[in-house]
Amino acid sequence: MKAALLYEGGVLRVAETPDPVADGWALVEARAAGVCGTELHFVDGMIPPPVIPFQLGHESAGVVLSVPEGAGGVQAGDRVAVYNFVGCGRCRACTTGRESLCTAPVGQLGFSLPGGFADIVRAPVSNLIPLPENVSFESAAILSCSGMSVVHACRLAEVSLGDVVVVDGIGGVGAMAVQVAVAAGARVLAVADTQNRGDLALELGASDAIVLDGGVGYDTLPDRVRELTTGAGATHYVELVGTEDTYLAGIRSLGRGGKVVIIGYTDQHLNVHPIELILSELQVITSVAGSRRDLETAIDLAATDRLRVTVDTRYPLEDIGTAVSRLKAREVRGRNVIVW
Ligand SMILES: [Zn+2]
Ligand SMILES: [Zn+2]
């Protein structure tokens, strides 16, 4: 089969490689694989690959080719999304629906196990989630990273009816965060760096878009949030930018008992005096990836038209280099997807 492999020095190249051997797992014929910002970290060396060469890709969907004998659930021919995290299945995290915190994981497709940028993908049968007819392979692939993560974050932070959620950063993940918070019953205030992204947030259900320009910066954002909430402040601040300024703006935009939900990060630190948190009993919540159930929920939201996925461009596997370099150049609105 063909696969996109990462070689020494961050070189990503499509090459012939042996077909995977099922060995107790399922095989899936790839139909779509999302190109995530994480890929850039492999290419630039921030995340070291487990082996050289390494088959990248952790957002994948396709058609089941084979399942091990006696396996229940999905069958050959079924359309599925591939949940990329392979937990031990036995620890407390795995048995309480928080697989991504597994203490003895088998691995993660596209991070430590061969990933989805390949004609055939190998995964445990329990990681395959059947797709409703009206959820496309490309949507399913993208939901299996950003969609799932956003559902997970909103669950951890208990976003619910009547809440006021600020979503800071309207990229691929932010666009989904707006929709998931709206689906949970919250009012959403979007914080965007351009009018274009602000408009996108409004289209996706945000009640207000705060565009950072000469008028509003991160220093005055908390005042703007209070103006829009009759002085109360937000109940949640979903932080997707990850700089010291944005963390502090998030904390200061919250009302009493509010929660800052940290998903984004850069090389900057969260630097705050505890008293700023203590006096209003603010909570700092962090969120990483998601559980199989979170992915199922994301797929259900998409199937019922409550979560739309924005695809920028579709590429054949051979053109993965172009898809990655356009992402690096920040030219991508939504996600680039490899399709078969
Ligand atoms: Zn991803
Ligand atoms: Zn486990």
Side-chain angles (χ1 to χ4, degrees), residues 10 29 45 47 70 74 98 103-104 106 115 190 210 258 270 288 297 320 340:
E29 189 181 276
I47 307 178
V74 299
R98 295 185 75 173
T103 51
V106 176
I210 303 167
L270 166 58
V288 61
T297 301
I320 190 162
W340 279 259

Side-chain angles (χ1 to χ4, degrees), residues 28-34 56-62 80-84 109 115-118 120-123 127-129 131 137-145 295 338 340:
V28 176
E29 189 181 276
R31 291 297 170 82
L56 284 174
H58 58 272
E59 308 180 358
S60 128
V80 293
V82 181
Y83 174 61
N84 64 36
L109 273 57
F117 293 145
I120 302 171
V121 181
R122 177 176 177 262
N127 282 52
L128 306 184
I129 299 174
L131 291 179
F137 289 117
E138 57 195 45
S139 292
I142 298 167
L143 291 170
S144 68
C145 183
L295 176 52
I338 305 299
W340 279 259

Side-chain angles (χ1 to χ4, degrees), residues 34-39 58-59 84 111 144-146 335:
V35 180
C36 180
T38 305
E39 262 71 75
H58 58 272
E59 308 180 358
N84 64 36
F111 287 88
S144 68
C145 183
S146 49
R335 266 282 202 275

